Amino acid sequence: HNRPNNNNWLESREACFLECLRYPYIQMTPDLLVIAATLGLTNVTKYLLEEHGMDPLYRPPTTTHFIPNAVQAAIMGGYVHTLKIIIHHSNNSNPADDELFVVDAQGRTVRDYISLKGSPIRPNDAKEVLGITIVKETNNNDEEEEKKKDDDTNRRLRNNNNNKKK
């Protein structure tokens, strides 16, 4: 479905995936939810949660490397709409507590994951789509680092101006 003349390739891929899942010979395994979240297929994720009651915290067994659960996969991919479907479905008792939804065995929450430095879910998307406000923590080291960068930039500009005058 990923053809240059197809502007809606993601929608086409998702529709195809949904159609395939409806075939009677397809075995519904919890791995499918992880795959759908990894690909950011929001409608497929919703279908698997609602129609098949799949567990978003299920992690496929492995001994060789880390495989995320569906929540972690959506976060890692930056698929904020898919993440919203998962946590709203799983936390239907009180959507106001979505940011406190526990994601892993260590007790980390959705807020903890998306607050991490380098998170693919940007603070603006977290606020607009999930209703979670991410506050950038600053410390003296960050401020000192910024001041040093500003001083270095100003020094380079002065040197450039002095060289142009000569």
Side-chain angles (χ1 to χ4, degrees):
H1 296 284
N2 190 5
R3 297 188 175 98
N5 61 351
N6 186 351
N7 293 332
N8 297 323
W9 67 269
L10 182 59
E11 291 86 1
S12 297
R13 178 179 290 169
E14 189 162 37
C16 181
F17 202 117
L18 271 171
E19 184 179 328
C20 290
L21 287 176
R22 292 187 175 115
Y23 287 134
Y25 56 83
I26 297 294
Q27 183 180 2
M28 290 295 165
T29 64
D31 301 65
L32 291 172
L33 183 60
V34 175
I35 293 167
T38 299
L39 296 173
L41 302 176
T42 304
N43 292 326
V44 173
T45 299
K46 184 175 182 178
Y47 170 78
L48 293 170
L49 288 167
E50 291 178 358
E51 301 298 321
H52 297 280
M54 294 196 176
D55 179 9
L57 299 179
Y58 167 81
R59 283 189 49 217
T62 182
T63 58
T64 58
H65 60 282
F66 172 77
I67 297 178
N69 62 40
V71 181
Q72 292 166 326
I75 293 169
M76 290 167 60
Y79 301 118
V80 70
H81 295 286
T82 302
L83 178 61
K84 181 178 180 177
I85 291 294
I86 294 170
I87 59 179
H88 278 253
H89 180 272
S90 303
N91 194 27
N92 56 15
S93 61
N94 188 1
D97 291 336
D98 286 350
E99 66 186 273
L100 303 176
F101 182 74
V102 176
V103 175
D104 59 23
Q106 288 73 30
R108 291 178 287 223
T109 64
V110 169
R111 171 183 276 290
D112 293 335
Y113 270 86
I114 63 177
S115 295
L116 291 172
K117 188 173 185 174
S119 170
I121 295 181
R122 307 312 323 145
N124 189 47
D125 291 335
K127 176 68 176 167
E128 288 183 14
V129 178
L130 301 172
I132 299 173
T133 302
I134 304 300
V135 178
K136 181 183 174 190
E137 292 183 19
T138 60
N139 58 34
N140 291 338
N141 291 340
D142 289 342
E143 292 171 10
E144 289 173 17
E145 202 57 40
E146 285 298 318
K147 186 177 183 317
K148 184 178 176 188
K149 285 180 189 177
D150 288 344
D151 290 345
D152 289 344
T153 302
N154 289 333
R155 190 180 325 82
R156 276 191 230 113
L157 288 171
R158 280 193 306 273
N159 287 341
N160 284 343
N161 288 336
N162 288 338
N163 288 339
K164 286 180 184 177
K165 289 180 183 177
K166 292 181 183 179

